[in-house]
Each structure stands twice: as C-alpha cells, then as structure tokens.
Amino acid sequence: MNATRKSAASTEAQLVLENLKEAVAQALEKKRRLGQYAVIWKDGKPVLTGDDAPKTAETQK
C-alpha cells in the first residue's frame, strides 16, 4: 500500500482548524475573565497560566 501525503491541507481541513482555533481562543478568554487559570502547552511542556494558577516547583524557583 502506497500512502501519499498532500503538501497543503484541504479547504475543509483549513475550515476545521480555524474553527478549533476560534473555540480555544474563546475558552481561554472566558477563563481569563472568570479569573481561572489555564493549562497550555509551551516549549514542549504543560504550563499553568493565570493569576490563580497553582504554584509548582518550577514556578517557585
């Protein structure tokens, strides 16, 4: 079986990606307005962001 890979995403895939980005942005904004922390992925590691984020050993250094 030979699998070929397209170099560019289809129009449908691009639309799905844009909708996912918008949904995540809305969820993060809602958490920010409510004063809740969020866990995001940054530099290959999960990071707690927000004023009420629990303190971890890495953030206390």
Side-chain angles (χ1 to χ4, degrees):
M1 180 173 157
N2 290 334
T4 59
R5 189 172 175 139
K6 294 181 180 179
S7 60
S10 68
T11 304
E12 183 178 343
Q14 290 173 345
L15 181 61
V16 169
L17 179 60
E18 288 302 316
N19 285 325
L20 285 171
K21 286 181 179 181
E22 185 178 334
V24 169
Q26 288 176 358
L28 289 173
E29 175 62 18
K30 181 179 178 181
K31 286 187 148 302
R32 186 193 64 76
R33 284 193 323 262
L34 292 172
Q36 299 172 341
Y37 74 94
V39 180
I40 60 171
W41 198 256
K42 186 174 185 179
D43 297 329
K45 294 191 280 186
V47 178
L48 304 173
T49 62
D51 293 337
D52 68 339
K55 302 294 184 221
T56 62
E58 287 183 0
T59 60
Q60 292 177 358
K61 291 180 182 176

